Amino acid sequence: MLEALRKAATNPTYHRYPFSYQTDYREAIAAWYGRRFDVVLDPATEVLPLAGSQEGLGNLGLAVMEPGAVALVPSPAYGSYSRTSRFAGGEIHLMPLREENGYLPDLSAIPDEVLSRARLLWLNYPNNPTGAVAPLSFFEEVVAFARQHEILVCHDNAYSDVSYDGYVAPSFLAVDGAREVGIELNTLSKAFNMAGWRLGMAVGKPEVLRALAQVSFNTSMGLFGPLQAAAIEALTGDQSWMVERNQIYQQRRDIVVDGLRAIGLEPLCPKATLYVWAKLPPGYTDSLEFSKWVLDQTGVWLTSGMFFGPEGEGYVRASVTTPTDDLREAMERLQSLKL
Ligand SMILES: Cc1ncc(COP(=O)(O)O)c(C=O)c1O
């Protein structure tokens, strides 16, 4: 990727405005979706390059929401879904993700009054912060639900390629009818360890991608060509190194799950994502107080669940992005806590 970036940087073509030469990147995204998810995309209409999936998250609210419209947002969830839905004056309705339901939302629990105004449904599997994954049967249910209530679905698949124990995450678009009701966001940040490069994509329903592109055209005007060249290299080149990378994360996941369990927390052992979601020990309810106390006692930060929405209260999230030796030390320090 670095070599592709270096080489492309000397090509004068790439010093022009970038929207005129994004075809190759679109084609590389379509090729990756075909190879990785068995989803065939038309690069011209069903693919939109983005500066990270965050560009899509941030702009989707502006593209489709308006005062009076409601966005259905999971709780707990990555914070941007609520924020972007409110940017254009929309309201949000929180859908609890509960352990007993496999951290999937109960779509049948959404009140009719909300459904009549619902415009956008946010989903994210593999899920941040819970680490939960969704079966294809759930995506099928979502497509039927979205059709029935004429709701647009945005599935955030940012963690599709950080997975463990042989689990392979699907694309929402692999389900029949999904591309008629929604879009999927994806990114090179997690799959390819390229978070700083700001390379992502939206794929799916052409009409929604056009609306997203209109907002983006007014804010960013495309990606610098040499970055696109590096992305093409990543998406179309050898990806066997991801196996070893995921083994490293998996080892860290096990260290964290064991360490948290040993001090009385109840961690979910995730099949994917960079996170371990853990219920506070019996007797503890305030996740922010707990996180601060643990930080004071040990110098280890566990992110308080309340940061991810009201249903996150009572939980903390640990991340496996820290180097393995530091994580080991963190877990050792936690063992000194008097819980
Ligand atoms: C669930 C989720 N979606 C999207 C993003 C944004 O990723 P990026 O903009 O780097 O693609 C993140 C970043 O942590 C995330 O956790």
Side-chain angles (χ1 to χ4, degrees):
M1 286 83 134
L2 284 169
E3 198 42 50
L5 175 79
R6 227 179 257 129
K7 208 165 134 211
T10 58
N11 181 347
T13 303
Y14 294 140
H15 298 249
R16 305 200 325 253
Y17 279 108
F19 46 76
S20 57
Y21 53 79
Q22 296 200 140
T23 311
D24 292 350
Y25 182 35
R26 284 173 184 268
E27 281 171 1
I29 291 169
W32 184 55
Y33 257 74
R35 171 178 159 190
R36 167 63 183 84
F37 300 106
D38 210 9
V39 168
V40 178
L41 296 170
D42 173 1
T45 61
E46 293 180 311
V47 174
L48 180 70
L50 297 170
S53 52
Q54 195 70 30
E55 184 186 358
L57 291 178
N59 287 342
L60 192 62
L62 293 173
V64 306
M65 294 298 289
E66 64 183 335
V70 177
L72 306 172
V73 178
S75 171
Y78 185 59
S80 295
Y81 310 142
S82 297
R83 286 193 291 270
T84 180
S85 304
R86 286 183 172 130
F87 279 169
E91 292 165 39
I92 60 166
H93 172 82
L94 295 180
M95 304 178 295
L97 303 187
R98 301 221 166 100
E99 197 176 344
E100 60 269 23
N101 206 19
Y103 293 102
L104 301 172
D106 178 1
L107 301 175
S108 67
I110 302 167
D112 287 344
E113 186 279 323
V114 172
L115 279 178
S116 65
R117 293 186 298 128
R119 181 161 305 175
L120 178 60
L121 166 63
W122 288 99
L123 294 172
N124 162 226
Y125 295 97
N127 183 258
N128 176 11
T130 66
V133 298
L136 274 180
S137 56
F138 172 69
F139 289 155
E140 281 160 5
E141 191 192 324
V142 168
V143 170
F145 170 85
R147 270 211 185 111
Q148 186 189 348
H149 300 286
E150 295 184 3
I151 297 172
L152 167 69
V153 180
C154 179
H155 180 242
D156 178 357
N157 208 357
Y159 294 93
S160 64
D161 285 77
V162 179
S163 59
Y164 315 119
D165 306 323
Y167 174 73
V168 180
S171 163
F172 172 63
L173 296 187
V175 166
D176 276 351
R179 71 182 72 195
E180 282 124 49
V181 298
I183 64 166
E184 178 161 278
L185 300 174
N186 214 318
T187 174
L188 276 70
S189 295
K190 329 284 177 180
F192 296 89
N193 293 63
M194 294 170 81
W197 298 58
R198 313 310 304 134
L199 290 162
M201 64 204 74
V203 295
K205 190 172 173 145
E207 191 188 330
V208 179
L209 299 188
R210 279 200 302 276
L212 253 188
Q214 252 175 23
V215 181
S216 289
F217 188 76
N218 282 285
T219 53
S220 56
M221 294 222 218
L223 310 167
F224 182 43
L227 287 174
Q228 294 183 45
I232 293 165
E233 181 64 33
L235 293 170
T236 59
D238 173 36
Q239 289 159 14
S240 56
W241 58 271
M242 279 187 200
V243 174
E244 195 185 331
R245 187 273 316 272
N246 283 347
Q247 279 165 0
I248 294 170
Y249 284 147
Q250 186 174 320
Q251 187 195 11
R252 294 182 191 167
R253 175 203 67 175
D254 293 341
I255 292 169
V256 171
V257 167
D258 291 348
L260 295 182
R261 203 169 272 153
I263 58 163
L265 278 84
E266 293 173 44
L268 187 84
C269 186
K271 287 201 177 75
T273 76
L274 297 165
Y275 310 110
V276 176
W277 186 241
K279 199 189 269 181
L280 297 182
Y284 293 82
T285 49
D286 185 324
S287 61
L288 186 56
E289 279 308 308
F290 183 80
S291 295
K292 284 196 213 158
W293 177 72
V294 172
L295 182 66
D296 283 345
Q297 300 288 312
T298 63
V300 176
W301 175 248
L302 295 167
T303 306
S304 322
M306 45 73 68
F307 286 125
F308 303 97
E311 295 290 330
E313 188 51 285
Y315 290 80
V316 286
R317 191 195 74 171
S319 157
V320 300
T321 51
T322 308
T324 308
D325 287 345
D326 292 353
L327 267 185
R328 254 199 208 101
E329 181 180 337
M331 292 303 124
E332 273 162 26
R333 288 194 198 180
L334 290 186
Q335 307 312 308
S336 67
L337 287 170
K338 304 270 175 291
L339 287 165

